[in-house]
Amino acid sequence: MKYGVAGISIIPLRKEPSHRSEMVSQLLFGETYEVVQEQNGWLLIKCNYDNYEGWIDANQYTAIADKEYSMSGANSGIALDLLSNATSGYHAIPIVTGSDLPLFDGLNFKLAKEKFIYNGQAVQSEAKNSSLPERVAMRYVNAPYLWGGRSPFGIDCSGFTQVVFKFAGVCLMRDAYQQAEQGSLVNFIDEALPGDLAFFNNEAGKITHVGMILKDRRIIHSSGKVRIDPIDHFGIYNQDLRKYSHQLKVLKRFF
């Protein structure tokens, strides 16, 4: 079995082995994966963090040993700055928030036998902290919506909640409908607390959207951009459009 790690800032994960194919997700720097299949310069991979599968360009493959893969997440940091550089020798790699910093000691980390220095803010991956999601989420306000995105330069609704909760030590699955199957049920919007997740369905009843509850009956979510809107028992009220944009389906708690 072959294993790899994202050795560049962001790696697009595609539905099919083609640059023209839909991007279904992204790997952030330091995140690891298992190689499932190889085909014409493309690799079908399974992400270690959430078991999500997709195709990456083989030119973006950085090999790691079995031991390094099995230790993924242990003694690691998570980059908190929206964007900072990691330096190694004479080159630098831009690191976006949510990226993994393997074997991070507060300044140094190691990835695929290469040593780096990271001067930005970071948190330890083992530290479970329910106060972090809101703090991290607010850094994304006005980040553009991007289908399959997981970075502050483009992020979708479930990528947003997944990365935000990563800082709190809660591993969410990749898609909104998958996340809705996690956590414990909150029965009414009046019982919702900051940090709860709200899920919304389309006309067919399928869950297609997610956001995080804030205080004062507000929600932060990625829709066009990462934005803050009022929420009630019916759903999200978009003040710019002066109408409801998403119909509430279910509320879940994770802390």
Side-chain angles (χ1 to χ4, degrees):
M1 188 64 67
K2 294 172 63 176
Y3 301 100
V5 63
I8 55 177
S9 305
I10 300 168
I11 297 178
L13 199 65
R14 302 201 178 273
K15 187 175 182 178
E16 303 292 342
S18 168
H19 287 292
R20 295 183 178 181
S21 179
E22 170 190 352
M23 185 176 74
V24 294
S25 191
Q26 292 174 327
L27 286 165
L28 303 183
F29 180 88
E31 293 184 325
T32 58
Y33 53 88
E34 172 187 329
V35 178
V36 178
Q37 182 182 339
E38 300 182 43
Q39 179 180 316
N40 299 326
W42 288 84
L43 304 177
L44 177 63
I45 66 159
K46 178 186 286 188
C47 301
N48 190 19
Y49 187 73
D50 56 15
N51 292 323
Y52 213 69
E53 291 192 4
W55 294 87
I56 68 169
D57 187 333
N59 290 322
Q60 296 177 327
Y61 171 63
T62 300
I64 56 173
D66 299 17
K67 183 178 180 181
E68 191 172 352
Y69 175 82
S70 64
M71 292 178 62
S72 298
N75 301 314
S76 294
I78 305 174
L80 186 57
D81 285 359
L82 281 180
L83 182 67
S84 288
N85 280 338
T87 58
S88 175
Y90 295 101
H91 73 277
I93 298 177
I95 305 295
V96 300
T97 187
S99 299
D100 286 351
L101 309 172
L103 303 176
F104 185 62
D105 64 6
L107 179 63
N108 307 280
F109 70 91
K110 186 178 179 181
L111 183 139
K113 299 181 180 180
E114 189 171 7
K115 295 180 179 180
F116 290 87
I117 296 175
Y118 179 78
N119 288 308
Q121 291 181 296
V123 300
Q124 292 299 130
S125 60
E126 292 88 350
K128 293 190 176 182
N129 188 337
S130 61
S131 68
L132 274 174
E134 182 172 353
R135 175 186 167 193
V136 174
M138 297 304 292
R139 293 172 176 241
Y140 286 86
V141 171
N142 290 320
Y145 178 89
L146 176 66
W147 180 270
R150 295 177 68 232
S151 92
F153 301 106
I155 197 162
D156 64 23
C157 65
S158 54
F160 172 65
T161 51
Q162 186 189 53
V163 175
V164 165
F165 271 62
K166 181 179 181 180
F167 283 92
V170 176
C171 182
L172 295 180
M173 296 295 98
R174 181 59 182 88
D175 293 331
Y177 77 92
Q178 296 173 316
Q179 295 177 8
E181 297 173 356
Q182 300 176 257
S184 58
L185 184 66
V186 177
N187 292 312
F188 303 103
I189 189 66
D190 290 340
E191 299 175 354
L193 299 174
D196 291 346
L197 293 186
F199 297 89
F200 306 85
N201 57 272
N202 60 14
E203 293 180 354
K206 181 180 178 181
I207 290 175
T208 57
H209 192 65
V210 59
M212 188 179 76
I213 299 292
L214 303 174
K215 62 182 180 180
D216 300 326
R217 291 271 189 108
R218 298 177 303 152
I219 186 169
I220 184 168
H221 63 124
S222 182
S223 179
K225 63 181 180 180
V226 176
R227 54 184 294 129
I228 298 173
D229 289 305
I231 183 173
D232 59 23
H233 68 281
F234 183 80
I236 297 174
Y237 186 79
N238 186 308
Q239 293 177 306
D240 295 334
L241 301 176
R242 296 184 179 181
K243 67 177 184 179
Y244 284 96
S245 59
H246 297 85
Q247 183 176 340
L248 182 62
K249 177 70 173 180
V250 66
L251 293 156
K252 288 296 188 77
R253 183 163 296 157
F254 296 81
F255 302 102

